[in-house]
Amino acid sequence: MSGRWAVVVGGGVAAARRAEILLRAGAHVTVFASELSGDLALLREKFAFEHVARRPAKPAELEGVALCIVATGDAAADERARDLAKAAGALVNVADRADLCDFMLPSIIDRDPLMVAISTGGASPLLGRMLKARLETTIPAAYGRLADFVRSSRAMVNAKLATGVARRRFWEGVLDGPAAERMLAGDVSGANSALEDELGRASAQGEAAMRGEVYLVGAGPGDPDLLTFRALRLMQKADVVLFDNLVDPAIVDLARREAERIYVGKRMGDHALAQEEISDLLVRLALQGKRVLRLKGGDPFVFGRGGEEIEMLASRRIPFQVCPGVTAAIGCAAYAGIPLTHRDHAQSVVFVTAHGKNGPLDLDWSALARPGQTAAVYMGLSRIEQLMDEFVKHGADPDTPAAIIDNGTRPNQRVIAGAVRTLAELARADDLRGPTIVIVGSVVTLRDKLDWYKSAGSSLASGQTTTALEQ
Ligand code: SAH
């Protein structure tokens, strides 16, 4: 709006607040109002604007106006003013009349040149203002100064650091380090010398020293709320994200917006990239100096082949971090209401995969089928019949309770409970697609005890609906 003409129709508080936004943006403002309220009179002490002591009467008066704000406090007068402004070709905003607006005025947190705008699309301006109040207290007033400081040093930094990656790393260090601290404390010369030190260091190290890094991050079984704080922090630092189909799209969306996203697939039979290719890709990207986020479903070290990936990284001397995640057995059990251990039912719990290195169902069955133990079987759906048969062959009672949880912790979670004898048939009848986890053991019966909870209409965990439980 800088240098452009804006009109405010109305002389009250609402008009004053809007006029101030326009004046701060550098617009030429004309206020049409028979009288100026105290707020507008105060505003006149700070800014110059034109005052016309009546309402506009014909479109010609508003010819050339870019924006028109209407806030007379009188519905009929508001509509008349709006029609005139529209006829003159201006964009119009009418206070508290979303239906008459060409544009919305967001709540603004102003740390010039830093600006945060909050809009609820007209749904609840009050909610927007509440959020604004909260953010006002968490964004230091000096942030604007910090932004100016970055702007004024940019040319110097660009001259010393050639690549985009090097510059971004540098600024991350500055904004998170002593230079920013000094600036926020109002010590401009201290901030400048801290920045110069940092720049000297960064350009001396050169590009070669700027090695990339790999973050092997467990994304949990599906519900984004199950991410850890550390996972979220690493996701915000990534330059590239490698993810497969076990990771919910809602979670991939939480990675840094500018990060490149690479789908590396992996569903049985549809291997977008073989494991060796994924490991190679991780190495190649890290050697380009990138921060590579390898997002894995559940926990990276539980049936996630994370071990193989870090062996490769270690052999190539690439730095990496591993961030644990909620593994499917733990997440699914909680969201399905099945405690994995219980003093009266199970004193141990084993996590097994139905797909070993030597083919499917290569398991120590007698150790699995023990009483007093819960077994959580990953990747068991495709051979569910055989799986259940093996339990029985190795001494498990065919009536041992068992459940299958499909898409656990997600909005479409389904739980099918039965017994070792019946589970395969139940699963087939329901045409489950997976991912699914199978839980075998008497702890499955404890689910029924949660019935009172269901009938009370409550949910066991956030994100899980009663319907999902009942299914
Ligand atoms: N690293 C992952 C497991 C990868 S193996 C973890 O710690 O959870 C893939 C298997 O995990 C799937 O075949 C399925 O058995 C299980 N799984 C993953 N997400 C699941 C989910 N949301 N619901 C049910 N099972 C899931």
Side-chain angles (χ1 to χ4, degrees):
M1 285 305 293
S2 172
R4 304 192 66 188
W5 187 20
V7 156
V8 176
V9 183
V13 182
R17 208 175 290 137
R18 289 161 173 78
E20 180 169 358
I21 294 171
L22 291 164
L23 288 163
R24 281 187 187 283
H28 296 304
V29 175
T30 302
V31 176
F32 283 87
S34 49
E35 252 178 285
L36 295 187
S37 69
D39 290 60
L40 274 165
L42 272 177
L43 199 59
R44 241 187 170 171
E45 293 173 12
K46 282 198 277 176
F47 296 96
F49 60 86
E50 192 191 356
H51 175 213
V52 180
R54 57 171 174 81
R55 294 197 177 131
K58 44 184 189 295
E61 282 183 287
L62 303 178
E63 213 62 62
V65 168
L67 288 189
C68 177
I69 305 259
V70 180
T72 66
D74 173 283
D78 275 355
E79 281 177 34
R80 254 194 322 278
R82 171 193 179 263
D83 292 345
L84 286 178
K86 290 292 291 178
L91 290 173
V92 186
N93 174 282
V94 182
D96 298 327
R97 288 292 302 272
D99 56 319
L100 297 182
C101 289
D102 296 319
F103 63 94
M104 311 262 181
L105 287 171
S107 293
I108 289 171
I109 296 160
D110 186 358
R111 301 282 186 275
D112 184 45
L114 181 87
M115 196 75 94
V116 181
I118 301 164
S119 167
T120 60
S124 172
L126 178 63
L127 189 63
R129 285 200 291 277
M130 282 163 61
L131 187 59
K132 167 185 151 81
R134 240 198 267 174
L135 290 175
E136 286 282 7
T137 60
T138 55
I139 302 176
Y143 258 41
R145 241 188 292 143
L146 193 58
D148 277 329
F149 171 60
V150 172
R151 172 157 46 208
S152 63
S153 327
R154 192 185 302 286
M156 176 174 72
V157 172
N158 287 0
K160 291 240 165 115
L161 303 178
T163 66
V165 177
R167 290 171 188 171
R168 193 160 65 75
R169 291 290 161 78
F170 170 77
W171 286 118
E172 276 173 3
V174 167
L175 290 174
D176 211 20
E181 287 301 332
R182 303 249 157 216
M183 199 65 212
L184 291 177
D187 173 7
V188 179
S189 67
N192 276 314
S193 60
L195 181 122
E196 280 162 28
D197 286 355
E198 182 82 31
L199 186 56
R201 220 170 304 134
S203 56
Q205 278 179 352
E207 304 289 318
M210 221 188 45
R211 260 186 313 172
E213 196 178 358
V214 174
Y215 311 136
L216 210 59
V217 172
D223 184 350
D225 267 10
L226 294 176
L227 280 175
T228 61
F229 287 123
R230 176 153 169 238
L232 204 57
R233 195 154 28 80
L234 295 174
M235 289 168 78
Q236 287 303 314
K237 284 172 72 170
D239 298 310
V240 194
V241 185
L242 270 64
F243 64 100
D244 49 48
N245 53 290
L246 265 186
V247 180
D248 222 79
I251 291 179
V252 181
D253 276 350
L254 295 173
R256 196 167 71 91
R257 202 186 268 257
E258 297 76 23
E260 182 190 347
R261 287 155 168 68
I262 303 178
Y263 173 70
V264 293
K266 258 212 298 195
R267 189 180 274 277
M268 268 182 296
D270 137 47
H271 282 239
L273 285 185
Q275 186 58 45
E276 302 72 49
E277 293 176 298
I278 298 176
S279 298
D280 282 346
L281 187 58
L282 288 174
V283 169
R284 199 149 24 93
L285 292 166
L287 288 176
Q288 291 167 11
K290 297 199 168 128
R291 288 176 181 152
V292 189
L293 173 75
R294 172 72 173 110
L295 265 185
K296 294 199 160 263
D299 180 273
F301 282 174
V302 178
F303 310 130
R305 305 191 72 173
E308 291 156 63
E309 289 172 15
I310 62 168
E311 269 174 49
M312 173 74 125
L313 296 170
S315 74
R316 305 293 299 270
R317 298 258 171 278
I318 291 170
F320 61 83
Q321 299 185 33
V322 181
C323 173
V326 174
T327 190
I330 302 279
C332 295
Y335 279 50
I338 301 171
L340 289 175
T341 67
H342 187 288
R343 277 161 65 106
D344 302 334
H345 295 266
Q347 289 71 45
S348 65
V349 49
V350 284
F351 294 174
V352 289
T353 170
H355 277 260
K357 199 165 180 176
N358 303 321
L361 303 178
D362 165 31
L363 296 169
D364 179 358
W365 290 102
S366 33
L368 265 186
R370 273 191 203 139
Q373 174 168 278
T374 305
V377 189
Y378 289 67
M379 292 177 270
L381 181 63
S382 63
R383 289 198 167 71
I384 181 85
E385 291 82 4
Q386 235 180 310
L387 186 68
M388 294 297 109
D389 283 351
E390 295 285 352
F391 268 98
V392 177
K393 270 196 231 154
H394 291 84
D397 179 344
D399 287 321
T400 307
I404 184 159
I405 303 162
D406 180 75
N407 277 289
T409 81
R410 298 179 181 165
N412 56 335
Q413 166 176 303
R414 300 179 61 193
V415 182
I416 293 170
V420 166
R421 185 169 45 78
T422 59
L423 194 66
E425 202 179 318
L426 292 172
R428 292 291 173 221
D430 251 292
D431 190 25
L432 298 179
R433 293 292 159 87
T436 60
I437 197 140
V438 177
I439 297 182
V440 179
S442 67
V443 288
V444 169
T445 55
L446 295 168
R447 249 189 114 233
D448 296 336
K449 300 217 166 133
L450 299 157
D451 264 353
W452 71 269
Y453 215 90
K454 281 194 275 177
S455 50
S458 194
S459 64
L460 262 178
S462 67
Q464 177 195 32
T465 61
T466 311
T467 354
L469 244 185
E470 278 160 356
Q471 283 171 341

